Amino acid sequence: MKTLRRPLLLLRALAVLAGAVSVMSCFSNRQNEGATLYGTHCANCHGAQGEGLKRLIPPLAQSDYLTKNRNGLACLVRKGMKGPLVVNGVEFNQVMPPADTHLTDSQITNILNFVQTSWGNKGEIFTIREVSEQLRGCGASDGR
């Protein structure tokens, strides 16, 4: 009977280890999604390092706007923006195109979290629930 316990314990330990590795790989794949999405949808204007473009396009790196306007960031990404805004004391007045048709709530969450934690930004990360609530507030949640 004792000889059967050891293989069973070993099998259980291996199963737990395999499950942990599997879960970790899921998280690491999703972890990089924000960076990939940012590179595809945002970097052309805001820069690869979030530096913006002189006085035309606002920086996202070390941006006070992210902290001051946290409650509207999801809608800003989804709906875009037209009109002036001030970032780090500098006024910008260009059109930001909307992401209405090509980004899900989940993808917007991942982009926002990438921006919140990159280039010297130390913002609090968003949950999918928080982003979806913001988007429902501006009539723009897709529920995904």
Side-chain angles (χ1 to χ4, degrees), residues 48-66:
Q49 298 301 310
E51 69 276 15
L53 182 62
K54 300 190 182 195
R55 291 187 173 263
L56 294 175
I57 299 171
L60 300 175
Q62 299 180 357
S63 170
D64 65 347
Y65 188 88
L66 299 174

Side-chain angles (χ1 to χ4, degrees), residues 17-30:
L17 181 61
V21 167
S22 175
V23 167
M24 286 173 48
S25 69
C26 289
F27 285 118
S28 63
N29 289 340
R30 295 287 288 176

Side-chain angles (χ1 to χ4, degrees), residues 72-86:
L73 295 177
C75 290
L76 176 67
V77 172
R78 172 81 66 184
K79 295 291 197 178
M81 183 175 183
K82 190 177 194 179
L85 70 119
V86 176

Side-chain angles (χ1 to χ4, degrees), residues 33-50:
E33 185 180 40
T36 301
L37 289 166
Y38 176 87
T40 301
H41 300 284
C42 312
N44 284 342
C45 295
H46 289 286
Q49 298 301 310

Side-chain angles (χ1 to χ4, degrees), residues 2-141:
K2 279 188 174 184
T3 54
L4 284 175
R5 283 189 194 169
R6 273 197 178 154
L8 281 175
L9 287 174
L10 182 59
L11 284 174
R12 285 183 184 160
L14 288 173
V16 168
L17 181 61
V21 167
S22 175
V23 167
M24 286 173 48
S25 69
C26 289
F27 285 118
S28 63
N29 289 340
R30 295 287 288 176
Q31 178 182 1
N32 296 325
E33 185 180 40
T36 301
L37 289 166
Y38 176 87
T40 301
H41 300 284
C42 312
N44 284 342
C45 295
H46 289 286
Q49 298 301 310
E51 69 276 15
L53 182 62
K54 300 190 182 195
R55 291 187 173 263
L56 294 175
I57 299 171
L60 300 175
Q62 299 180 357
S63 170
D64 65 347
Y65 188 88
L66 299 174
T67 305
K68 292 177 182 177
N69 297 282
R70 178 183 172 83
N71 293 330
L73 295 177
C75 290
L76 176 67
V77 172
R78 172 81 66 184
K79 295 291 197 178
M81 183 175 183
K82 190 177 194 179
L85 70 119
V86 176
V87 178
N88 298 337
V90 177
E91 184 174 306
F92 296 87
N93 193 3
Q94 294 293 320
V95 173
M96 178 175 155
D100 263 339
T101 59
H102 58 277
L103 292 175
T104 65
D105 293 8
S106 175
Q107 289 173 320
I108 290 173
T109 303
N110 287 324
I111 290 170
L112 289 174
N113 286 336
F114 172 72
V115 170
Q116 288 285 81
T117 59
S118 298
W119 318 302
N121 295 328
K122 297 184 185 346
E124 184 182 338
I125 63 168
F126 287 86
T127 64
I128 182 69
R129 180 173 294 190
E130 180 182 10
V131 168
S132 291
E133 285 174 7
Q134 281 188 24
L135 292 170
R136 275 193 295 279
C138 63
S141 176

